[in-house]
């Protein structure tokens, strides 16, 4: 192995994703070098790693001339560049930050010191720090970022005030534990979400956000990237995406149906000042069916998540309990039972209708119950096949068997 090929390990790696950042790289590298001098006081060695994402403005040669190491990420995307840089980093501590001169890498020294105290992830927080004039659009500062951070904390309880800050530090071990995969800007959410799921020890320090030093529009597209963040948060939270809407729909739809069935004949049911008649049955049935479908989709979603090792070992109790009941065979039994009940009710309606010479149908209630049971039964039966196709050895069922041994 040549001297150039051999790269000895260091204590701290400053990782910067780069796509045509020749204008701002000198400032970022200068700040990182100053942080490196600060960390030398603690006996920590450092390196600066530029994870280049296909620059055509000479950023690579410029970075090398300023003392940084450059690695070429073969796949486009903010997340891809950071994941590639994390893998290529030689430090046991990693500081990541954007290379547009918006974040002061000198704050990285304070973040690394937090890691040496035993923390596994240290985030910068702009909201508790300083946002310079013109550094962040008003809609991002007061709407987008607070809303997305609030949703993330509601779903995953990260305890962090600025989940999308671009300056963050973490241990190399934590980086591998999180198994990061996001290719785009949603990488920022993924790291915080997985750190919360894995219960990594987290903290944050105030940081300053400077105005972007580039002379071109930023790569960030607020509406598109905001949606990608929100989509990621929902995908990783089946409780909020599926089960809570399912519960609300089942309670509303089932409650209306139960209320109508408790009233005699064609009498109107009274509820909160409203008069509910049988014309509400199709509405209630539709709400109930949608809620039931949400619930079964949530079951399948949990099964898909269970195939990921970092999630499967930390499944909530309600998911394990649910899977103990809703096995593949039990889904077939439930679906078949609902189909049978729906069929019997439908035959009963046909008999009543035939007795009236197939004229006006007065058996509206049993007809709606029949169609509801048939639709739910059919969906359950085929979800059973879908469930079987995604079931894996790392499923909650497998975890349950291990727990019972």
């Amino acid at each position: 192995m040549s001297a150039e090929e051999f790269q000895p390990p260091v204590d701290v790696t400053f990782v910067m994703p780069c796509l045509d950042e020749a204008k701002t790289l000198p400032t970022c590298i200068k700040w990182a070098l100053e942080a490196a001098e600060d960390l030398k006081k603690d006996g920590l060695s450092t390196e600066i790693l530029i994870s280049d994402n296909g620059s055509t403005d000479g950023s690579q040669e410029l970075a090398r001339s300023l003392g940084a190491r450059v690695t070429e990420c073969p796949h486009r995307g903010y997340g891809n560049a950071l994941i590639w840089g994390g893998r290529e980093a030689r430090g046991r501590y990693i500081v990541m930050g954007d290379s547009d001169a918006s974040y002061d890498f000198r704050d990285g020294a304070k973040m690394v010191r937090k890691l040496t105290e035993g923390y596994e992830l240290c985030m910068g927080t702009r909201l508790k720090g300083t946002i310079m004039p013109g550094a962040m659009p008003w809609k991002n500062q007061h709407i987008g970022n607070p809303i997305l951070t609030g949703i993330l904390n509601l779903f995953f309880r990260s305890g962090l005030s600025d989940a999308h800050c671009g300056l963050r530090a973490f241990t190399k071990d934590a980086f591998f534990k999180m198994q990061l995969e996001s290719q785009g800007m949603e990488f920022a959410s993924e790291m915080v979400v997985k750190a919360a799921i894995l219960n990594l020890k987290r903290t944050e320090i105030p940081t300053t956000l400077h105005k972007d030093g580039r002379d071109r529009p930023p790569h960030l597209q607020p509406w598109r990237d905001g949606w990608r963040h929100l989509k990621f948060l929902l995908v990783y939270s089946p409780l909020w995406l599926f089960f809570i809407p399912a519960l609300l729909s089942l309670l509303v739809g089932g409650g209306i149906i139960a209320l109508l069935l408790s009233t005699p004949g064609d009498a109107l049911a009274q509820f909160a000042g409203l008069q509910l008649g049988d014309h509400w049955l199709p509405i209630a049935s539709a709400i109930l069916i949608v809620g039931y479908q949400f619930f079964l989709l949530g079951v399948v979603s949990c099964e898909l998540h269970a195939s990921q090792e970092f999630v499967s070992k930390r499944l909530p109790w309600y998911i394990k309990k649910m899977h103990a009941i809703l096995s593949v065979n039990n889904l077939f039994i439930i679906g078949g039972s609902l189909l049978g009940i729906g069929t019997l009710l439908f035959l009963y309606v046909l008999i009543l209708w035939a007795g009236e010479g197939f004229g006006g149908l007065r058996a509206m209630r049993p007809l709606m119950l029949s169609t509801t049971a048939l639709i739910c039964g059919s969906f359950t039966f085929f979800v059973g096949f879908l469930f079987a196709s995604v079931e894996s050895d790392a499923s909650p069922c497998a975890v349950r068997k291990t727990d019972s041994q």
Side-chain angles (χ1 to χ4, degrees), residues 319-398:
I319 293 180
K320 293 183 180 181
K321 186 70 174 178
M322 183 170 54
H323 279 78
I325 300 172
L326 297 178
S327 64
V328 173
N329 288 335
N330 284 347
L331 284 174
F332 290 144
I333 292 172
I334 294 170
S337 299
L338 288 171
L339 286 171
I341 292 171
T343 301
L344 290 175
L345 283 171
F346 189 70
L347 290 175
Y348 170 71
V349 171
L350 282 178
I351 292 172
L352 292 179
W353 196 17
E356 297 175 356
F358 294 105
L361 179 62
R362 299 180 182 179
M364 187 66 174
R365 295 181 180 186
L367 178 61
M368 289 306 304
L369 291 177
S370 169
T371 54
T372 301
L374 287 171
I375 293 172
C376 290
S378 300
F379 191 74
T380 306
F381 197 81
F382 286 101
V383 164
F385 285 104
L386 178 62
F387 196 79
S389 69
V390 301
E391 194 176 46
S392 66
D393 292 336
S395 70
C397 300

Side-chain angles (χ1 to χ4, degrees), residues 216-285:
R216 56 174 173 77
H219 299 303
L220 177 69
Q221 297 183 27
W223 293 108
R224 182 202 65 181
D225 292 317
W227 163 242
R228 292 178 69 165
H229 281 284
L230 179 59
K231 180 175 65 174
F232 180 88
L233 297 179
L234 290 169
V235 165
Y236 270 83
S237 182
L239 173 65
W240 287 91
L241 179 60
F242 294 111
F243 292 123
I244 289 179
L247 178 62
L248 293 175
S249 297
L250 290 170
L251 288 175
V252 172
I256 293 174
I257 290 175
L259 186 62
L260 290 172
L261 292 178
S262 66
T263 59
D266 295 329
L268 296 176
Q270 304 292 328
F271 179 75
L274 294 175
Q275 293 185 332
L276 307 179
D278 284 357
H279 58 280
W280 275 83
L281 279 173
I283 299 172
S285 175

Side-chain angles (χ1 to χ4, degrees), residues 18 58 61 78 88 95 104 143 145 185 208 253 290 300-301 306 318-319 327 341 365 379 384 393 399:
C18 178
E61 293 75 16
Y78 178 77
E88 293 291 309
V95 179
D104 191 337
I143 301 176
N145 191 57
M185 294 293 182
T208 298
V290 168
V300 176
S301 174
Y318 62 85
I319 293 180
S327 64
I341 292 171
R365 295 181 180 186
F379 191 74
D393 292 336
V399 173

Side-chain angles (χ1 to χ4, degrees), residues 33-351:
L33 288 172
E34 291 180 22
E37 287 296 319
D38 190 3
L39 289 170
K40 279 185 180 179
K41 301 173 186 177
D42 300 333
L44 298 175
S45 58
T46 60
E47 69 166 349
I48 299 173
L49 178 63
I50 307 301
S51 182
D52 192 74
N53 213 202
S55 295
T56 59
D57 66 346
S59 293
Q60 305 93 323
E61 293 75 16
L62 175 62
R64 292 188 182 99
S65 71
L66 295 172
R69 182 163 65 93
V70 177
T71 181
E72 303 283 349
C73 175
H75 308 292
R76 283 294 185 97
Y78 178 77
N80 283 331
L82 287 173
I83 293 170
W84 184 269
R87 290 172 180 168
E88 293 291 309
R90 296 182 290 123
R92 55 194 175 100
Y93 304 123
I94 298 174
V95 179
M96 282 184 174
D98 300 342
S99 53
D100 58 4
S102 58
Y103 292 102
D104 191 337
F105 280 91
R106 289 172 291 192
D107 290 336
K110 293 181 285 186
M111 302 176 87
V112 169
R113 290 190 179 105
K114 287 291 185 180
L115 299 181
T116 62
E117 294 173 8
Y119 290 100
E120 296 172 276
L121 171 66
C122 179
M123 294 284 297
T125 171
R126 300 161 293 183
L127 303 182
K128 294 182 179 180
T130 303
I131 299 176
M132 302 300 290
M136 184 186 292
W138 185 90
K139 64 179 181 295
N140 292 19
Q141 181 177 349
H142 298 286
I143 301 176
N145 191 57
I147 289 176
L148 287 174
T149 297
I151 292 173
L152 188 151
N153 283 325
L154 175 65
F155 288 5
F156 303 100
R157 298 184 295 278
S158 75
L160 300 170
S161 64
D162 187 4
H164 304 98
C165 180
L167 185 65
R168 52 191 68 192
F170 44 88
T171 66
K172 188 70 175 280
D173 286 343
F175 173 78
F176 286 117
K177 285 179 184 178
M178 288 184 282
Q179 301 178 28
L180 302 168
E181 299 175 337
S182 295
Q183 300 178 15
M185 294 293 182
E186 68 274 19
F187 173 90
S189 291
E190 181 188 14
M191 179 178 287
V192 178
V193 166
K194 290 187 173 179
I197 291 174
L198 292 168
N199 200 27
L200 300 183
K201 192 174 181 182
R202 308 176 295 279
T203 188
E204 60 184 11
I205 66 165
T207 190
T208 298
L209 181 68
H210 299 272
K211 188 175 181 179
D212 187 334
R214 295 171 295 193
D215 55 2
R216 56 174 173 77
H219 299 303
L220 177 69
Q221 297 183 27
W223 293 108
R224 182 202 65 181
D225 292 317
W227 163 242
R228 292 178 69 165
H229 281 284
L230 179 59
K231 180 175 65 174
F232 180 88
L233 297 179
L234 290 169
V235 165
Y236 270 83
S237 182
L239 173 65
W240 287 91
L241 179 60
F242 294 111
F243 292 123
I244 289 179
L247 178 62
L248 293 175
S249 297
L250 290 170
L251 288 175
V252 172
I256 293 174
I257 290 175
L259 186 62
L260 290 172
L261 292 178
S262 66
T263 59
D266 295 329
L268 296 176
Q270 304 292 328
F271 179 75
L274 294 175
Q275 293 185 332
L276 307 179
D278 284 357
H279 58 280
W280 275 83
L281 279 173
I283 299 172
S285 175
I287 295 173
L288 180 69
I289 290 169
V290 168
Y292 185 76
Q293 291 175 337
F294 280 172
F295 174 75
L296 290 184
L297 289 174
V299 173
V300 176
S301 174
C302 290
E303 185 69 20
L304 288 169
H305 282 298
S307 64
Q308 302 181 49
E309 182 180 357
F310 82 94
V311 176
S312 65
K313 294 180 179 179
R314 295 166 176 81
L315 290 168
W317 66 268
Y318 62 85
I319 293 180
K320 293 183 180 181
K321 186 70 174 178
M322 183 170 54
H323 279 78
I325 300 172
L326 297 178
S327 64
V328 173
N329 288 335
N330 284 347
L331 284 174
F332 290 144
I333 292 172
I334 294 170
S337 299
L338 288 171
L339 286 171
I341 292 171
T343 301
L344 290 175
L345 283 171
F346 189 70
L347 290 175
Y348 170 71
V349 171
L350 282 178
I351 292 172

